[in-house]
Amino acid sequence: MTHSSVARSQSTSPSKPIRVAIVGDVHGQWDDRDESALISLGVDLALFVGDFGNEAVELVEQVAEMSIPIAVALGNHDAWYSATIWGRQKCPYDRRYEDRVQQQLEALGAAHIGYSQRDFPQMQFGIVGGRPFSWGGPDWKHADFYADRFDVHSMQDSCDRIVQAAQQSRCETLVFVSHNGPTGLGDRPEDPCGRDWIPVGGDYGDPDLHAAIAATKASGKRVALVTFGHMHHALRHTRQKLRKRVHVGDDGTVYLNAACVPRVLEQGGTSYRNFSLASLAAGQVVRIQSVWASSEGAIAAQELLYAQPPCSSYALPAASG
């Protein structure tokens, strides 16, 4: 984090809502205009749910240099040529001399919160990361990758690492950030982590994340928000509707799928970028909007996804996910 980002975060007043931007799956769509938009929108913190590109080191390095405080979860595409046998076979660089997964981790430093945490006491909450590089689903995949990189050997090991990170936070209110969301949010294809490819249907969330969140709550900490991506809003099996983006738990935890893909659209010669903007106050999420904003912060369209108390979402005319 740069000196200016530290100064910005220290100046945040806890008496007013904290504005957090969640950046969905990037897939190569990021440049300086995105940071300009976030600054113009008055964002206090930016959270990234990963999938910057297929081990897109230069793009990750650019994000790491942002002046706004950030926390980053890396996705399956961020280990595209390293986590799987078929990916290693197709790798366009020589893995004997170059490790682009490690380069991303080193570029991000403490901003990478996979299996880790980062406290923002001036904002009155901490950030906890789920399993990094998740491909989703109920099965433990890519065992050699997780064993070599993180000394994690099972879904239970992974859960334990996430819980450990949560317990290391000194904040009582937490926000979980992961590439894929937890199980338990529904098994329809249009649910936040629902499987939308053949065979259609089923909960494709991460069981370790679900268990870790439950254990963290049982320890007495409050989980205000869980945000993730991976499962794109545009459904594969139908174009008649979009994926459900927000789920509210019985205990008030808000779950947000931020994977609007593509996240940059052109309209009238201007590029508009998608961000989910969440406002937090007194340890709770009070509002979430999806916005399409120019680099100057001009909002072409917005959609209310959640408000406290919960209300029906509405959509303004705009290209979406």
Side-chain angles (χ1 to χ4, degrees), residues 102-150:
Q102 187 61 31
Q103 288 174 33
Q104 292 174 83
L105 294 173
E106 290 176 357
L108 292 168
H112 174 249
I113 42 79
Y115 288 149
S116 186
Q117 58 83 29
R118 193 171 197 183
D119 284 345
F120 292 90
Q122 70 282 0
M123 301 183 193
Q124 300 183 330
F125 57 79
I127 307 294
V128 177
R131 184 195 338 152
F133 308 105
S134 174
W135 292 65
D139 301 322
W140 184 246
K141 304 182 183 79
H142 318 310
D144 57 341
F145 176 81
Y146 284 101
D148 294 343
R149 298 274 178 176
F150 302 102

Side-chain angles (χ1 to χ4, degrees), residues 7 44 65 75 104 131 145 165 179 206 221 230 257 260 276 295-296 302:
D44 299 301
E65 292 300 318
Q104 292 174 83
R131 184 195 338 152
F145 176 81
H179 181 56
D206 286 353
K221 289 184 180 286
H230 188 50
N257 180 328
C260 178
S276 296
S295 59
E296 293 79 25
Q302 59 188 316

Side-chain angles (χ1 to χ4, degrees), residues 8 34-43 67-68:
R8 179 178 176 83
D34 287 280
E35 182 176 4
S36 297
L38 290 174
I39 293 171
S40 298
L41 290 169
V43 166
S67 61
I68 298 170

Side-chain angles (χ1 to χ4, degrees), residues 31-317:
D31 58 36
D32 291 339
R33 291 171 290 180
D34 287 280
E35 182 176 4
S36 297
L38 290 174
I39 293 171
S40 298
L41 290 169
V43 166
D44 299 301
L45 173 68
L47 306 177
F48 292 80
V49 302
D51 271 6
F52 292 97
N54 292 345
E55 300 188 14
V57 175
E58 291 185 2
L59 194 156
V60 171
E61 290 174 340
Q62 183 179 7
V63 168
E65 292 300 318
M66 286 175 58
S67 61
I68 298 170
I70 63 171
V72 177
L74 291 171
N76 58 304
H77 278 268
D78 303 315
W80 196 250
Y81 301 117
S82 302
T84 68
I85 294 175
W86 58 262
R88 293 191 285 268
Q89 292 173 341
K90 297 178 180 179
C91 185
Y93 62 90
D94 193 332
R95 297 181 67 255
R96 294 175 299 173
Y97 305 107
E98 193 173 1
D99 185 343
R100 294 188 182 177
V101 168
Q102 187 61 31
Q103 288 174 33
Q104 292 174 83
L105 294 173
E106 290 176 357
L108 292 168
H112 174 249
I113 42 79
Y115 288 149
S116 186
Q117 58 83 29
R118 193 171 197 183
D119 284 345
F120 292 90
Q122 70 282 0
M123 301 183 193
Q124 300 183 330
F125 57 79
I127 307 294
V128 177
R131 184 195 338 152
F133 308 105
S134 174
W135 292 65
D139 301 322
W140 184 246
K141 304 182 183 79
H142 318 310
D144 57 341
F145 176 81
Y146 284 101
D148 294 343
R149 298 274 178 176
F150 302 102
D151 194 24
V152 169
H153 302 271
S154 66
M155 202 72 79
Q156 185 60 55
D157 279 357
S158 184
C159 171
D160 292 344
R161 285 287 297 273
I162 300 168
V163 172
Q164 181 182 34
Q167 294 306 314
Q168 289 173 347
S169 173
R170 296 184 179 182
C171 298
E172 291 305 308
T173 298
L174 299 176
V175 171
F176 277 74
V177 182
S178 193
H179 181 56
N180 193 43
T183 53
L185 306 183
D187 58 6
R188 299 174 303 171
E190 65 270 22
D191 283 327
C193 297
R195 180 180 174 125
D196 61 335
W197 62 92
I198 297 173
V200 172
D203 189 341
Y204 211 68
D206 286 353
D208 49 344
L209 182 59
H210 172 83
I213 292 169
T216 299
K217 292 178 178 180
S219 75
K221 289 184 180 286
R222 171 189 287 174
V223 179
L225 174 66
V226 179
T227 188
F228 51 90
H230 188 50
M231 310 295 276
H232 297 178
H233 296 168
L235 297 170
R236 298 185 188 186
H237 71 297
T238 179
R239 297 301 180 191
Q240 301 305 308
K241 55 186 172 181
L242 296 175
R243 184 179 299 280
K244 178 182 177 183
R245 285 159 285 176
V246 171
H247 174 92
V248 182
D250 293 338
D251 58 1
T253 298
V254 179
Y255 299 81
L256 171 68
N257 180 328
C260 178
V261 179
R263 59 167 302 273
V264 177
L265 296 175
E266 299 286 334
Q267 187 177 66
T270 300
S271 295
Y272 292 95
R273 289 128 206 289
N274 182 264
F275 303 101
S276 296
L277 299 180
S279 297
L280 285 82
Q284 300 181 67
V285 178
V286 295
R287 186 179 180 89
I288 300 177
Q289 290 177 289
S290 174
V291 303
W292 291 90
S294 71
S295 59
E296 293 79 25
I299 295 177
Q302 59 188 316
E303 183 178 356
L304 181 65
L305 301 179
Y306 171 82
Q308 188 187 56
C311 68
S312 300
S313 64
Y314 66 94
L316 297 179

